[in-house]
Amino acid sequence: MAFHQNHWCRVLEFLEGTMLSTVPYRSEELLESIGSFAGNCCKKLSHFSHSAAERPIQWDLQNAPKLLKEWIGFVDNQEIKDKIGVVIQLCESNRVAMQGLRKSVVHADLTRYNILVDPEGSKVQGVIDFGDICRTWTSSELAVLVLESAMTGSITPFDDAFQVVKAFHSQFALEENEIEILYFLIQL
């Protein structure tokens, strides 16, 4: 950022790529690329720290149980409210397991709108939108990625999720407790 003639200016480099959201079919090659890319990012960030990442942000899955309890009153539909209540109960029953999860700085928003792929739609080229970076459960990066970038819109969501998790794990090995709680984190 630079201040010039009473104006703040920010110069950004253009990153080539197409949003994953525009790719109609996610091939095995693309799913592997998505998982490997995210796993590699987690590996590289696993020992990184910065005081700015230690911040409360609503998208941090660590805050989900508290936010669900605070916001459930705004839901009018009883069926939806009951489903949220089940997730709140799952949060309580998984509280000890969640406390034992590894933490690191993560992108926290690896969604189909923030992942850029090559023109063929077969390989990740980069990511955008770093506004949600925070220090949280490392496995929450994978949970958001799986739900938002592999399962959403897929005709084979569990197969696609498996491909992404397998590729992620090949780059950044998940611990047993992270594997056990991953499905629950995806629900958050």
Side-chain angles (χ1 to χ4, degrees), residues 6 16 20-21 37 39-41 49 69 78 81 95 110 131 158 171 173 177 184:
N6 296 326
E16 289 285 339
L20 176 62
S21 63
F37 183 89
N40 194 36
C41 287
S49 67
K69 288 177 188 173
Q78 190 59 47
K81 192 178 264 191
R95 189 166 26 100
L110 292 181
F158 291 101
Q171 296 298 313
N177 62 336
F184 167 69

Side-chain angles (χ1 to χ4, degrees), residues 20-91:
L20 176 62
S21 63
T22 66
V23 177
Y25 169 74
R26 295 178 191 116
S27 65
E28 281 190 33
E29 181 182 11
L30 178 56
L31 293 167
E32 182 180 332
S33 180
I34 292 168
S36 294
F37 183 89
N40 194 36
C41 287
C42 284
K43 180 170 52 177
K44 290 181 178 183
L45 289 171
S46 64
H47 298 292
F48 174 78
S49 67
H50 192 282
S51 59
E54 302 283 346
R55 63 190 179 121
I57 182 169
Q58 71 181 16
W59 306 116
D60 179 352
L61 290 187
Q62 292 179 113
N63 296 324
K66 178 180 178 265
L67 294 175
L68 287 170
K69 288 177 188 173
E70 290 175 1
W71 294 350
I72 194 170
F74 295 103
V75 178
D76 293 328
N77 182 304
Q78 190 59 47
E79 185 179 344
I80 293 173
K81 192 178 264 191
D82 291 344
K83 289 177 181 179
I84 294 169
V86 169
V87 174
I88 291 171
Q89 290 172 345
L90 286 170
C91 289

Side-chain angles (χ1 to χ4, degrees), residues 42-176:
C42 284
K43 180 170 52 177
K44 290 181 178 183
L45 289 171
S46 64
H47 298 292
F48 174 78
S49 67
H50 192 282
S51 59
E54 302 283 346
R55 63 190 179 121
I57 182 169
Q58 71 181 16
W59 306 116
D60 179 352
L61 290 187
Q62 292 179 113
N63 296 324
K66 178 180 178 265
L67 294 175
L68 287 170
K69 288 177 188 173
E70 290 175 1
W71 294 350
I72 194 170
F74 295 103
V75 178
D76 293 328
N77 182 304
Q78 190 59 47
E79 185 179 344
I80 293 173
K81 192 178 264 191
D82 291 344
K83 289 177 181 179
I84 294 169
V86 169
V87 174
I88 291 171
Q89 290 172 345
L90 286 170
C91 289
E92 288 301 316
S93 64
N94 284 294
R95 189 166 26 100
V96 173
M98 291 185 299
Q99 290 171 350
L101 294 174
R102 278 186 292 188
K103 292 183 180 182
S104 66
V105 173
V106 299
H107 181 278
D109 198 14
L110 292 181
T111 67
R112 60 197 181 280
Y113 301 106
N114 292 332
I115 295 175
L116 300 178
V117 298
D118 64 2
E120 294 78 33
S122 61
K123 183 180 173 196
V124 174
Q125 292 201 165
V127 294
I128 57 174
D129 187 0
F130 295 87
D132 295 332
I133 287 178
C134 61
R135 184 173 187 277
T136 186
W137 302 317
T138 308
S139 52
S140 69
E141 186 82 291
L142 180 59
V144 170
L145 175 75
V146 165
L147 177 63
E148 278 289 317
S149 298
M151 298 180 79
T152 300
S154 172
I155 58 170
T156 55
F158 291 101
D159 291 339
D160 292 358
F162 177 74
Q163 292 295 324
V164 170
V165 171
K166 187 169 72 170
F168 181 98
H169 183 70
S170 74
Q171 296 298 313
F172 185 75
L174 294 164
E175 295 179 350
E176 190 172 326

